[in-house]
Amino acid sequence: MATTAAWLRREVVRVTELREDGYEVVVIGGGAAGLSGALMLARARRSVLVIDGGSPRNAPAEGVHGLLARDGMPPAELLARGRDEVRRYGGHLLDGQVDTVTRDGEGFVVALADGRPVRAARLLVATGLVDELPELPGLRERWGRDVLHCPYCHGWEVRDRPIGVLATGPLSVHQALLFRQWSDDVLFLRHTAPPLTDEQAEQLAARDVRVVEGEVASVEAVADRLVGVRLRDGRLVAREVLAAGPRMVARAGFLAALGLPAVAHPAGVGEHVPADPTGRTAVPGVWVAGNVTDPAAQVGAAAAAGATAAAAINGDLVAEETRRAVEAARSTTRRGGIHE
């Protein structure tokens, strides 16, 4: 099977000649949300450019799960198919990084890291997020394999195996209770989290989730397989799977010049860019979709959000075009009346 990097090198078409008059919509981010939005807009006969940095969040995963008719498909293959579909309807794809985005009249200028500017009438930002992992030796190397975070993404694959839940945030107890659905052998590793409330302790006990006190010092693997976690006192807690909730931070630094910074998520899981249900942000002309605004969105939900945002963007462009057409028609009528 081709690696993710190989898929991206083979499938991303580098656009060398950008449209001089710009694009009606520039989509920043070529994951499920961005490509779904670009597909909808291209089918709506809009000029669309997708700019993608080629670092999908789910690259370490062997397959996408819970996505109807595509369950188990390697993430890179799913994206390659999506890019082909966007190109089929005339959409452009660019392998590149966005440096900054600034307002230019009624539109925007997207400055690429290589110095090239791209004009856009509307923006769809679908850059996803960065998982800030707990700083434990051995953890990052296992991420997406036997160190996981989402039971709906990976629960079936680790069913009935010994699972440890590393307490890293306000949702760790909830995470442990969720993973209990897939395994009878779940341990709650309190690590450096605050002591459990009486209610939380009662919930875990009622579901036969044993609490292990003590700070975790490292994640241990043998022959490329997780074998457990080592506590500060030297004890090895044997586990085959570790669930760890990362701090999820939106990839949105380039929006700062527009006055659209990422802010703390209400659930306390990190930072996101707020938006209404269609993805419309507080900055006119800018929409967001996928994990950049909804950290919990899986691939299917992210794709749906991209399509929803695309429909809203197209509707916004139609409204503007209609307004201008009406103004032009009225102007023609007035000039005709004066001439007569």
Side-chain angles (χ1 to χ4, degrees), residues 320-340:
E320 180 179 317
E321 291 160 352
T322 301
R323 175 181 58 79
R324 290 179 175 176
V326 169
E327 290 177 352
R330 289 175 176 173
S331 177
T332 300
T333 300
R334 288 194 296 270
R335 288 198 302 270
I338 293 173
H339 178 73
E340 292 174 356

Side-chain angles (χ1 to χ4, degrees), residues 134-136 139 147 164-169 172-173 175 187-193 214-217 219 229 242-245:
E135 292 294 335
L136 287 177
L139 185 146
V147 176
V165 176
L166 182 69
T168 57
S172 293
V173 170
Q175 188 179 38
L187 298 182
F188 184 82
L189 305 164
R190 194 168 71 80
H191 191 39
T192 57
E215 184 177 347
V216 175
V219 175
V229 297
L242 183 65

Side-chain angles (χ1 to χ4, degrees), residues 96-122:
Q97 298 283 347
V98 172
D99 190 11
T100 60
V101 178
T102 54
R103 175 74 72 178
D104 182 27
E106 295 183 0
F108 305 91
V109 173
V110 179
L112 301 175
D114 63 12
R116 286 182 293 174
V118 182
R119 288 190 52 79
R122 301 290 187 276

Side-chain angles (χ1 to χ4, degrees), residues 13-273:
V13 174
R14 289 174 172 79
V15 178
T16 56
E17 296 297 330
L18 299 171
R19 289 172 55 114
E20 292 186 2
D21 58 345
Y23 294 84
E24 290 173 295
V25 186
V26 167
V27 179
I28 306 175
L35 290 174
S36 179
L39 177 62
M40 289 283 286
L41 288 161
R43 283 177 52 84
R45 309 186 74 176
R46 296 296 179 185
S47 59
V48 181
L49 172 67
V50 179
I51 304 172
D52 183 42
S55 56
R57 180 193 183 198
N58 60 0
E62 292 184 358
V64 173
H65 295 293
L67 183 62
L68 187 64
R70 289 293 181 265
D71 186 76
M73 175 177 286
E77 182 180 349
L78 182 70
L79 297 183
R81 292 191 181 196
R83 288 190 290 269
D84 285 343
E85 291 175 353
V86 171
R87 282 193 292 264
R88 187 186 312 161
Y89 291 99
H92 290 180
L93 295 108
L94 173 66
D95 181 9
Q97 298 283 347
V98 172
D99 190 11
T100 60
V101 178
T102 54
R103 175 74 72 178
D104 182 27
E106 295 183 0
F108 305 91
V109 173
V110 179
L112 301 175
D114 63 12
R116 286 182 293 174
V118 182
R119 288 190 52 79
R122 301 290 187 276
L123 294 177
L124 173 56
V125 178
T127 42
L129 56 82
V130 174
D131 290 307
E132 294 185 348
L133 303 179
E135 292 294 335
L136 287 177
L139 185 146
R140 183 173 296 276
E141 294 81 358
R142 314 296 316 165
W143 183 245
R145 301 162 67 192
D146 39 29
V147 176
L148 314 167
H149 78 290
C150 174
Y152 297 106
C153 300
H154 307 286
W156 176 262
E157 284 66 37
V158 301
R159 66 194 184 281
D160 299 325
R161 295 169 63 185
I163 300 172
V165 176
L166 182 69
T168 57
L171 298 181
S172 293
V173 170
H174 177 64
Q175 188 179 38
L177 295 173
L178 284 178
F179 270 101
R180 179 63 178 79
Q181 173 67 22
W182 281 267
S183 175
D184 294 335
D185 186 0
V186 178
L187 298 182
F188 184 82
L189 305 164
R190 194 168 71 80
H191 191 39
T192 57
L196 296 168
T197 66
D198 291 342
E199 181 182 13
Q200 290 172 330
E202 183 180 32
Q203 290 174 339
L204 293 174
R207 292 291 284 155
D208 296 321
V209 176
R210 184 161 60 91
V211 178
V212 177
E213 297 288 347
E215 184 177 347
V216 175
S218 63
V219 175
E220 302 291 316
V222 175
D224 200 30
R225 293 180 65 88
L226 181 73
V227 296
V229 297
R230 183 78 60 182
L231 303 184
R232 290 288 180 195
D233 60 14
R235 287 179 293 159
L236 177 68
V237 180
R239 296 286 88 183
E240 294 181 7
V241 179
L242 183 65
R247 182 173 182 270
M248 297 178 281
V249 180
R251 290 172 170 160
F254 57 87
L255 294 176
L258 293 178
L260 192 60
V263 300
H265 192 275
V269 296
E271 297 179 353
H272 75 138
V273 178

